[in-house]
Amino acid sequence: MSTAPEAVSAVEQRLAELGLELPPVAAPVAAYVPAVVSGNHVYTSGQLPFIDGALPAAGKVGADVSAEDAKTYAARCAVNALAAIKAQIGDLDRVTRIVKVVGFVASDPSFTGQPGVINGASELLGQVFGEAGSHARSAVGVAVLPLNAPVEVEVIAEFA
C-alpha cells in the first residue's frame, strides 16, 4: 500500500530553492510564547538567529560582528519567524501579506547601518512571498539583545 507524499507548500518550496528549510520553533528563553494569533494576524515574538539551536555569532554589529554577517543573521531570524508562524496556522501558503517587520540590531555606538542589516529579513520575505512580502518596517539599534545575539526580528503576518 502506497501513500501519497505530503504536499509541500509553495512558500516552503521557495525556501528550499533558496537552500533553506524551516527549523523547529525555537524554545522561548523567558516567559512568553513564540507566536500568537489574533484575528487573522500572527504576531511573532522576537526571533534570534538560531541555527541548530545555537547562535552563529554574538556581540555588537560594527565591532564583533560585520554588517554583512548580521544581514545574513537577520534573514535567519526571518526564517525562524516563519517557523513560528507555521506552527500557529499550519500552512505558510495561508499567509496573504507580511504586514510589518521590526528588527533590532545590537550596535556598536558608532554603527549606523541598522536598515541595511534588517534588509536581510526584508529581502528574504520578499523573495519568499513576492509582492505579499512587502511590509512596513522598523530597524532599531540597541545596546544589547538576549543571549548577546547580534540581531532579533519580529514579524506580523496576515493570513486567510
Side-chain angles (χ1 to χ4, degrees), residues 42-126:
V42 180
Y43 298 77
T44 73
S45 294
Q47 300 292 313
L48 301 179
F50 287 122
I51 298 173
D52 296 327
L55 288 176
K60 300 200 182 330
V61 179
D64 311 306
V65 178
S66 73
E68 182 178 308
D69 286 346
K71 182 178 178 181
T72 299
Y73 303 147
R76 184 58 188 207
C77 292
V79 171
N80 293 345
L82 292 177
I85 292 167
K86 180 181 177 183
Q88 290 296 307
I89 65 172
D91 182 352
L92 290 174
D93 286 351
R94 294 181 64 196
V95 172
T96 56
R97 174 139 202 123
I98 300 299
V99 177
K100 182 149 188 193
V101 169
V102 179
F104 303 95
V105 181
S107 301
D108 180 79
S110 65
F111 183 74
T112 60
Q114 293 83 4
V117 169
I118 301 306
N119 276 350
S122 295
E123 290 168 3
L124 176 91
L125 293 167

Side-chain angles (χ1 to χ4, degrees), residues 132-149:
S134 295
H135 52 269
R137 188 183 89 180
S138 298
V140 181
V142 298
V144 68
L145 288 168
L147 306 176
N148 203 25

Side-chain angles (χ1 to χ4, degrees), residues 13-42:
Q13 179 60 42
R14 283 192 287 282
L15 284 168
E17 290 166 4
L18 296 171
L20 300 167
E21 66 179 54
L22 292 177
V25 177
V29 298
Y32 62 90
V33 295
V36 171
V37 172
S38 180
N40 64 334
H41 290 84
V42 180

